[in-house]
Short mmCIF file of all heavy atoms in Angstrom, two decimals:
data_model
loop_
_atom_site.label_atom_id
_atom_site.label_comp_id
_atom_site.label_asym_id
_atom_site.label_seq_id
_atom_site.Cartn_x
_atom_site.Cartn_y
_atom_site.Cartn_z
N LEU N 519 23.88 23.56 25.48
CA LEU N 519 25.33 23.76 25.46
C LEU N 519 25.69 24.94 24.55
O LEU N 519 26.61 25.72 24.87
CB LEU N 519 26.03 22.48 24.99
CG LEU N 519 25.72 21.22 25.83
CD1 LEU N 519 26.56 20.04 25.35
CD2 LEU N 519 25.95 21.46 27.32
N ASP N 520 24.97 25.09 23.45
CA ASP N 520 25.20 26.23 22.56
C ASP N 520 24.95 27.54 23.29
O ASP N 520 25.70 28.52 23.12
CB ASP N 520 24.28 26.14 21.33
CG ASP N 520 24.63 24.99 20.42
OD1 ASP N 520 25.73 24.41 20.56
OD2 ASP N 520 23.78 24.66 19.55
N PHE N 521 23.90 27.57 24.08
CA PHE N 521 23.58 28.80 24.82
C PHE N 521 24.69 29.13 25.81
O PHE N 521 25.12 30.29 25.91
CB PHE N 521 22.26 28.62 25.57
CG PHE N 521 21.94 29.75 26.51
CD1 PHE N 521 21.37 30.92 26.03
CD2 PHE N 521 22.24 29.66 27.86
CE1 PHE N 521 21.09 31.98 26.89
CE2 PHE N 521 21.96 30.71 28.73
CZ PHE N 521 21.38 31.87 28.24
N ILE N 522 25.15 28.13 26.53
CA ILE N 522 26.23 28.39 27.50
C ILE N 522 27.47 28.89 26.77
O ILE N 522 28.15 29.82 27.22
CB ILE N 522 26.52 27.12 28.33
CG1 ILE N 522 25.29 26.76 29.18
CG2 ILE N 522 27.75 27.32 29.22
CD1 ILE N 522 25.41 25.42 29.91
N GLU N 523 27.73 28.29 25.61
CA GLU N 523 28.89 28.72 24.83
C GLU N 523 28.73 30.19 24.40
O GLU N 523 29.67 30.99 24.52
CB GLU N 523 29.06 27.82 23.60
CG GLU N 523 30.20 28.21 22.68
CD GLU N 523 31.57 28.08 23.33
OE1 GLU N 523 31.70 27.32 24.31
OE2 GLU N 523 32.51 28.78 22.89
N LEU N 524 27.55 30.54 23.93
CA LEU N 524 27.31 31.93 23.51
C LEU N 524 27.53 32.89 24.68
O LEU N 524 28.15 33.96 24.53
CB LEU N 524 25.88 32.07 22.97
CG LEU N 524 25.63 31.51 21.57
CD1 LEU N 524 24.13 31.48 21.27
CD2 LEU N 524 26.38 32.33 20.51
N PHE N 525 27.01 32.50 25.84
CA PHE N 525 27.19 33.34 27.03
C PHE N 525 28.68 33.48 27.35
O PHE N 525 29.18 34.59 27.60
CB PHE N 525 26.44 32.72 28.20
CG PHE N 525 26.63 33.46 29.49
CD1 PHE N 525 25.96 34.65 29.75
CD2 PHE N 525 27.51 32.97 30.46
CE1 PHE N 525 26.16 35.33 30.94
CE2 PHE N 525 27.71 33.64 31.65
CZ PHE N 525 27.03 34.83 31.89
N ASN N 526 29.38 32.35 27.32
CA ASN N 526 30.80 32.38 27.64
C ASN N 526 31.58 33.26 26.66
O ASN N 526 32.59 33.87 27.02
CB ASN N 526 31.39 30.96 27.61
CG ASN N 526 31.00 30.15 28.84
OD1 ASN N 526 30.39 30.68 29.78
ND2 ASN N 526 31.35 28.87 28.85
N GLN N 527 31.09 33.30 25.41
CA GLN N 527 31.80 34.07 24.37
C GLN N 527 31.46 35.55 24.41
O GLN N 527 31.95 36.32 23.58
CB GLN N 527 31.46 33.51 22.98
CG GLN N 527 31.85 32.05 22.76
CD GLN N 527 33.37 31.85 22.72
OE1 GLN N 527 34.13 32.82 22.76
NE2 GLN N 527 33.80 30.59 22.68
N GLY N 528 30.56 35.94 25.34
CA GLY N 528 30.27 37.35 25.48
C GLY N 528 29.05 37.83 24.75
O GLY N 528 28.87 39.05 24.56
N ALA N 529 28.19 36.91 24.31
CA ALA N 529 26.96 37.33 23.63
C ALA N 529 26.06 38.10 24.60
O ALA N 529 26.08 37.85 25.81
CB ALA N 529 26.22 36.11 23.08
N ALA N 530 25.29 39.02 24.04
CA ALA N 530 24.37 39.82 24.86
C ALA N 530 23.00 39.13 24.89
O ALA N 530 22.50 38.68 23.86
CB ALA N 530 24.23 41.22 24.26
#
Side-chain angles (χ1 to χ4, degrees):
Chain N
L519 303 185
D520 292 346
F521 172 82
I522 295 173
E523 178 64 23
L524 285 170
F525 176 77
N526 284 354
Q527 299 292 354

